[in-house]
Amino acid sequence: MTAPDPTILATSGGHRTGGRTMVQFNALVHHAVDLSGVHGRRPRVMYVGTAIGDAEHFTSRMTEAARVAGFDLTPLHLFPMPNLEDVEGAVLDQDVVWVMGGSVANLLAVWRVHGLDLVMRRAWQAGVVLSGVSAGSICWFQGGATDSFGPELRPLTNALGFLPYGNGVHYDVDEGRRPLIHRLVAEGTLPVAHCTDDGVGLVYRGTELVEAVTEVPGQGAYLVTRDGDSAVEERIEPRRLAAVA
């Protein structure tokens, strides 16, 4: 079972503090599973933690979150070496790939060394839903604003480019991200940028943005376009997803 079209859910959310677990999958992760169309069996979700160096403690938290959600979770580690014999086969066997946040610059470098960038493109084209948060959102686009290089936000323009746009994450909580995205679009460093407040996700079929969704009421998504030497921002009201018990 795969999505009917190449599908990406790019988010600034997806996790929350659990009851019996440190982390629980919130509505955006569940929506990624819904987008895959899986039914009649437990969803297969791959967790990719490259952007935080495959931190074992967080892999453990994701495994517990998946157990609570009723998902079969496969972690993909690239440190110190790939933990799976057939990485491409394992990726293509998933319903959803969920990519954790962290350093998007490091993620891209490591993925390219291992050829995972090409594997992800083949999985996307095959109907595996690609999703993730923060760095796990920016990676699918042309680029965005990142703190991968230090505390001061800087542009990143060499992401995977499956989606031909810029991407702004954590748009409402990090005061430097909105002005930097506006500047990068205004000067042409980034193309049209698609941005999300925390708790919001953007759904793409192929390369077309088809919907904004949110697990947090009152949050927004935004299109930032170039108008001469300036940037113009348009708010998109996302659809509220059903709360996860």
Side-chain angles (χ1 to χ4, degrees), residues 171-219:
Y171 209 56
D172 60 325
V173 296
D174 189 335
E175 64 182 15
R177 291 184 185 268
R178 179 179 257 116
L180 179 55
I181 290 290
H182 278 227
R183 177 171 67 81
L184 295 175
V185 171
E187 67 189 20
T189 301
L190 287 179
V192 172
H194 298 177
C195 307
T196 50
D197 288 341
D198 274 12
V200 176
L202 301 170
V203 180
Y204 298 84
R205 297 290 192 185
T207 59
E208 180 185 359
L209 173 62
V210 296
E211 187 179 29
V213 292
T214 184
E215 60 193 13
V216 180
Q219 301 293 81

Side-chain angles (χ1 to χ4, degrees), residues 31-121:
H31 190 55
V33 170
D34 290 342
L35 290 169
S36 75
V38 62
H39 63 272
R41 60 168 172 79
R42 289 167 64 90
R44 293 192 289 263
V45 177
M46 175 170 279
Y47 165 70
V48 186
T50 317
I52 52 172
D54 293 334
E56 291 183 6
H57 73 284
F58 213 83
T59 299
S60 177
R61 292 175 185 177
M62 292 291 99
T63 301
E64 281 292 282
R67 179 186 60 79
V68 171
F71 304 157
D72 287 338
L73 190 83
T74 299
L76 174 59
H77 295 163
L78 298 177
F79 295 94
M81 65 180 72
N83 65 320
L84 303 172
E85 183 67 27
D86 180 6
V87 171
E88 180 170 356
V91 173
L92 288 170
D93 193 44
Q94 305 303 308
D95 301 303
V96 173
V97 171
W98 180 265
V99 181
M100 186 57 193
S103 171
V104 66
N106 291 351
L107 174 155
L108 291 166
V110 174
W111 281 14
R112 285 169 172 146
V113 164
H114 289 275
L116 191 58
D117 53 335
L118 303 179
V119 170
M120 290 297 188
R121 180 175 286 276

Side-chain angles (χ1 to χ4, degrees), residues 153-174:
L153 290 166
R154 290 171 55 181
L156 180 131
T157 58
N158 66 335
L160 298 179
F162 298 178
L163 301 173
Y165 317 105
N167 182 222
V169 295
H170 308 307
Y171 209 56
D172 60 325
V173 296
D174 189 335

